[in-house]
Amino acid sequence: MENATLTIHIASSLQALGVCWFVSGVALGFYIWDVRGTLIFFFWSLPFFVVGWILVAIPIIVMGNQILRIPKILLGVAGAAAGAFVILLPTLALWAISLGTEHFRLDWAYLKGWPAFGAGIGASGVILYGWLLSRAIYRIGPKLNID
């Protein structure tokens, strides 16, 4: 297996991020059946995707090609946990700022909403990154001339 350059790692992570951002916006539009919801999601979700890329993609990029040796199911679980954490981050920040005086209910009904949506995006994004990276490494591999 050939080592990919840092540029290939960053490009693969940005491609996976862009695909997940676009598909999740379209999926939300189909779910609520409103084009305005899709447009609002495309603008409103940018900070969440940037934070997700910083918290998840940068450590994965630093891992290099080791990410390809991890089983896909573990990548999915780790990505799902990270996606749910990114969605819960504003709630945790507000709780920390309020010094514990504000109590937030994180019951099952709440966790089935936006955190589950973030978990799905995180899982698919990390798995898609691994797939894109493996394809990029295959493309830069040696070209064998068998005649």
Side-chain angles (χ1 to χ4, degrees):
M1 180 184 309
E2 191 170 320
N3 284 334
T5 63
L6 181 63
T7 307
I8 290 174
H9 285 280
I10 292 173
S12 297
S13 70
L14 290 176
Q15 285 174 351
L17 182 76
V19 167
C20 286
W21 175 71
F22 183 75
V23 169
S24 61
V26 171
L28 180 72
F30 279 128
Y31 179 73
I32 62 174
W33 206 247
D34 192 4
V35 175
R36 293 173 294 185
T38 301
L39 295 175
I40 289 171
F41 177 82
F42 282 147
F43 292 110
W44 170 79
S45 66
L46 282 175
F48 288 95
F49 277 89
V50 169
V51 168
W53 188 82
I54 290 170
L55 292 177
V56 178
I58 290 178
I60 288 176
I61 289 171
V62 170
M63 285 177 64
N65 289 347
Q66 297 295 326
I67 194 76
L68 299 175
R69 295 183 181 163
I70 300 173
K72 298 293 185 223
I73 190 73
L74 281 161
L75 286 177
V77 169
F85 176 73
V86 167
I87 295 293
L88 290 173
L89 199 58
T91 305
L92 295 174
L94 286 175
W95 179 78
I97 290 171
S98 68
L99 300 173
T101 59
E102 186 69 33
H103 298 287
F104 297 99
R105 287 185 43 212
L106 294 177
D107 56 353
W108 184 247
Y110 175 74
L111 293 176
K112 288 191 315 186
W114 285 112
F117 190 64
I121 295 169
S124 60
V126 173
I127 292 172
L128 181 62
Y129 168 73
W131 183 77
L132 288 171
L133 184 63
S134 68
R135 296 303 169 254
I137 290 173
Y138 179 73
R139 279 194 309 256
I140 64 170
K143 307 290 188 239
L144 299 176
N145 225 356
I146 301 175
D147 287 338

